[in-house]
Amino acid sequence: GLDNNPADSISGHGTHVTGTLLGDGSVELDAMGIAPAATLHMYQLENNQQGVIARIGSIYDMMQDAYDNGARFQSTSWVSENAGGQYNGDSQSVDKFLWSNRDFIAIYSAGNNGSGGANTVAAPSTAKNVISVGASTDMTQASVASFSGQGPTFDGRIKPDIGAKGTNVYSTVENNDYDTYTGTSMASPGISGVLGQLYQAYKELNNEENPSSSLMKAVLLNSADDIGNSGPDFKHGWGEVNALRAVQILENQHYYEDSISDSGNNTHNIIVPSGTEQIKVMVYWHDKEASTNASIALVNDLNIQLTTPNGNNYQPWVLDFTPNASNLNQVATRGIDDRNNMEQVTIDNPTAGIYTLSVNGFSVPYGPQKYHVVYDIISEEITLTYPNGGEGLVPGENEMIRWDAFGNPGVFTLEFSLNNGTSWGTISSNVNSSLRHYNWTVPNNATGDALIRVSRGNYNDQSDANFSIVRLPQNFVVDWTCPDSIFFYWSPVAGANGYEISMLGQKYMDSIVSSTGTSAFYHNTNPSNIDNWFAIRALMSPSKKGSRTVAVNRQPTNNACLAPPFAIISASSTNSCS
């Protein structure tokens, strides 16, 4: 929903970005946004005389206005394309606001000048406390898009922070339509939507309290899938977003909050169980704003080290920011980081036992400095993420099966069942070990008892609940003669046991009537709606639903009539009427 009315006209770019973040899928279910229950507070941009998009007013004031209106994260698909690599006044303003408002988080697109090579992440995405988002070609085990802005910043910091799909993103545009756009602008709202879901998860796990944005950024970065060069790099940042692992960190409470003063030393114990394939530990802190164009933008410098039960010490990953292509493309090595306000240590095949994380306040002129420790303990298990239960798929359409797993020890086998697991058919027994998705053509069957199973070696996982496979109803007619009486009819669907009709309510497509036949009557008790949308889906049972059709817009054709009394009586039933 929108809680204000900005003066600027609705643009295709803005509408597309907004739909990816919080579109509710009313017209087209497949285009639902990532955080569909969110409320939006918009601010205005304009074109200056040179045709360059710019903000109206202070960036700090805009953030304050959003904060005062209840917003707790900002999604921005706008950057100064001529400020690649710079820590400028906008970067400083954003860092200043986030330093002072620790429960607010800001997400910025990295810019589309990546084909120019290094130092092409644009301000204010160069700020230390924001999440800078690069664009990738796909959401699973992706590669960075060639246009996506690249780091480092001029002072050698890692940017972008994280990547998300920014190529051929399907979302809303003007006039209740949809289109496919490409750019880091399309990736940024994807990350914002994930953060919206993570904020909600944290609140549900913590008595409705809002989380620290420092914690949420650490969770997001440390749970990302490492792609490109091993460890962080200047093209992919800390990797590709992995919302499943992020929410599991919150559910498992794998995080600490602490503070440290100048020259202080803190330790934290982390228990690593047997069977762990990898441990990932990150320390993150919102840093005080720096002077513009500072040679080193980092103000408060913390250093970390992870010690194994055997006494071996591991330093965090660092990159060579020497300004030439060869050095910038080198794989990360372990060392002391004096540039970034996040540091990460990873260990593959760690020995079980108690690990000690040491945090040192190497230089903290503005202390004490709050920081968060986030750790992810990764095993060899497999988790199927889609379809995982409750979905409605359409025979003959392509669906992307997705799962999460660590490492590449062997190929995957994918199977499906149409009878709740009584029997299984093979989709593929040779899915490449590096993949975490598979394009599946849905079989031509009608069932409410479908399951997917993915396996590798001794590990497997299947859908947590059944999903449905059934065709979309065709020839759906909305015969709206009077404002308070609507008659629907459609062609039958093979194998369906019923149908459900939805109408757009205040926020969502709400179910209004169901039928076991091929027609239904609805008495509209609130005929004052000026924009009415309807859709239909087939049912395998009341709780096992097929996909919804694309919604149609229909208005009353005769405003001077009312439904007769007999129609009002029959409307109380969900059975069809003729």
Side-chain angles (χ1 to χ4, degrees):
L2 180 65
D3 73 351
N4 67 330
N5 185 25
D8 59 325
S9 61
I10 297 174
S11 71
H13 180 276
T15 304
H16 195 278
V17 165
T18 303
T20 300
L21 172 55
L22 51 70
D24 62 14
S26 296
V27 176
E28 191 165 331
L29 188 60
D30 288 345
M32 179 181 288
I34 299 174
T39 299
L40 181 71
H41 183 83
M42 297 183 69
Y43 55 84
Q44 189 174 352
L45 301 176
E46 69 175 3
N47 289 332
N48 64 18
Q49 292 180 350
Q50 290 73 40
V52 178
I53 296 177
R55 67 189 181 282
I56 298 176
S58 160
I59 194 168
Y60 189 100
D61 291 344
M62 286 193 299
M63 297 176 79
Q64 187 67 60
D65 176 68
Y67 189 89
D68 292 343
N69 280 277
R72 287 300 176 265
F73 60 95
Q74 175 196 54
S75 181
T76 307
S77 291
W78 163 85
V79 288
S80 300
E81 294 288 1
N82 61 345
Q86 298 178 20
Y87 188 88
N88 65 7
D90 284 344
S91 308
Q92 182 189 60
S93 292
V94 172
D95 275 344
K96 181 178 180 180
F97 186 88
L98 297 177
W99 168 263
S100 302
N101 299 276
R102 302 298 179 91
D103 60 344
F104 190 85
I105 199 163
I107 305 96
Y108 280 85
S109 56
N112 299 330
N113 287 337
S115 58
N119 309 128
T120 51
V121 170
S125 196
T126 53
K128 295 174 290 185
N129 300 333
V130 306
I131 297 176
S132 172
V133 184
S136 57
T137 55
D138 187 79
M139 278 295 282
T140 306
Q141 297 296 301
S143 60
V144 67
S146 60
F147 58 80
S148 183
Q150 298 181 30
T153 56
F154 284 156
D155 66 329
R157 288 178 291 116
I158 297 171
K159 288 289 177 178
D161 293 302
I162 197 167
K165 180 176 171 62
T167 305
N168 299 324
V169 176
Y170 189 64
S171 185
T172 50
V173 291
E174 307 102 314
N175 301 317
N176 299 308
D177 204 356
Y178 298 86
D179 203 354
T180 299
Y181 284 10
T182 289
T184 58
S185 288
M186 286 61 252
S188 182
I191 292 295
S192 301
V194 169
L195 279 167
Q197 295 284 5
L198 293 178
Y199 264 62
Q200 183 63 32
Y202 181 93
K203 291 178 68 173
E204 291 177 5
L205 293 165
N206 293 276
N207 299 314
E208 294 302 309
E209 292 184 6
N210 278 323
S212 161
S213 57
S214 171
L215 170 63
M216 301 310 285
K217 183 175 176 181
V219 167
L220 191 78
L221 301 191
N222 197 55
S223 60
D225 290 327
D226 184 17
I227 60 175
N229 289 348
S230 179
D233 60 65
F234 294 129
K235 294 180 180 179
H236 307 84
W238 299 95
E240 188 79 358
V241 61
N242 188 323
L244 172 66
R245 291 201 183 278
V247 76
Q248 287 173 339
I249 289 175
L250 297 177
E251 292 171 342
N252 295 327
Q253 293 187 318
H254 284 177
Y255 54 87
Y256 301 104
E257 179 181 333
D258 210 335
S259 62
I260 197 165
S261 298
D262 188 54
S263 301
N265 289 283
N266 293 345
T267 59
H268 305 274
N269 289 336
I270 298 172
I271 299 174
V272 176
S274 59
T276 299
E277 294 289 318
Q278 185 185 62
I279 180 171
K280 300 169 66 177
V281 182
M282 177 174 281
V283 173
Y284 174 84
W285 63 101
H286 277 346
D287 194 30
K288 184 173 176 57
E289 73 276 7
S291 301
T292 58
N293 297 315
S295 59
I296 300 177
L298 187 66
V299 175
N300 287 342
D301 186 4
L302 310 187
N303 289 329
I304 72 171
Q305 179 176 270
L306 188 63
T307 304
T308 72
N310 299 326
N312 296 321
N313 296 321
Y314 288 85
Q315 292 181 310
W317 295 112
V318 294
L319 292 170
D320 186 343
F321 49 83
T322 304
N324 65 66
S326 177
N327 290 74
L328 295 177
N329 288 325
Q330 291 296 313
V331 175
T333 58
R334 299 187 190 273
I336 296 175
D337 189 335
D338 60 0
R339 290 295 191 272
N340 296 286
N341 57 320
M342 75 287 286
E343 297 188 4
Q344 184 191 62
V345 178
T346 67
I347 303 176
D348 293 338
N349 301 309
T351 303
I354 299 176
Y355 286 64
T356 302
L357 175 70
S358 301
V359 181
N360 169 250
F362 177 75
S363 177
V364 187
Y366 297 91
Q369 172 67 63
K370 286 186 177 181
Y371 65 88
H372 279 92
V373 178
V374 170
Y375 61 98
D376 194 8
I377 294 174
I378 304 173
S379 67
E380 198 180 337
E381 66 183 9
I382 298 170
T383 304
L384 179 73
T385 57
Y386 182 84
N388 199 38
E391 298 89 354
L393 307 188
V394 179
E397 291 192 354
N398 291 328
E399 291 284 350
M400 195 68 75
I401 301 171
R402 297 185 182 275
W403 62 95
D404 187 75
F406 177 76
N408 303 313
V411 298
F412 295 95
T413 295
L414 294 176
E415 300 168 283
F416 72 100
S417 173
L418 302 176
N419 50 22
N420 196 33
T422 301
S423 60
W424 294 88
T426 300
I427 298 173
S428 175
S429 59
N430 192 33
V431 179
N432 190 289
S433 62
S434 66
L435 296 178
R436 301 295 182 267
H437 64 283
Y438 187 89
N439 195 9
W440 178 49
T441 301
V442 180
N444 188 20
N445 299 85
T447 178
D449 296 321
L451 297 167
I452 291 291
R453 183 166 65 189
V454 57
S455 58
R456 180 177 66 181
N458 297 323
Y459 297 90
N460 69 79
D461 190 35
Q462 69 180 46
S463 308
D464 290 345
N466 298 122
F467 60 90
S468 298
I469 300 175
V470 63
R471 293 193 177 279
L472 296 170
Q474 302 293 315
N475 304 313
F476 178 51
V477 176
V478 181
D479 188 0
W480 194 335
T481 305
C482 303
D484 69 339
S485 54
I486 313 170
F487 185 63
F488 306 96
Y489 56 95
W490 57 90
S491 299
V493 174
N497 294 315
Y499 306 88
E500 177 187 86
I501 297 170
S502 298
M503 180 180 181
L504 181 61
Q506 290 296 317
K507 199 169 188 180
Y508 301 110
M509 292 294 286
D510 299 325
S511 173
I512 57 171
V513 65
S514 60
S515 172
T516 56
T518 56
S519 62
F521 175 81
Y522 176 63
H523 178 233
N524 184 26
T525 58
N526 183 25
S528 60
N529 290 350
I530 59 174
D531 197 23
N532 299 281
W533 293 84
F534 302 90
I536 187 171
R537 70 197 333 154
L539 305 176
M540 301 308 298
S541 74
S543 62
K544 297 179 178 180
K545 303 179 180 183
S547 183
R548 203 177 66 214
T549 60
V550 174
V552 295
N553 184 256
R554 297 289 185 270
Q555 309 301 326
T557 56
N558 185 348
N559 293 325
C561 66
L562 294 174
F566 78 87
I568 296 175
I569 295 172
S570 64
S572 65
S573 170
T574 58
N575 294 325
S576 62
C577 29
S578 57

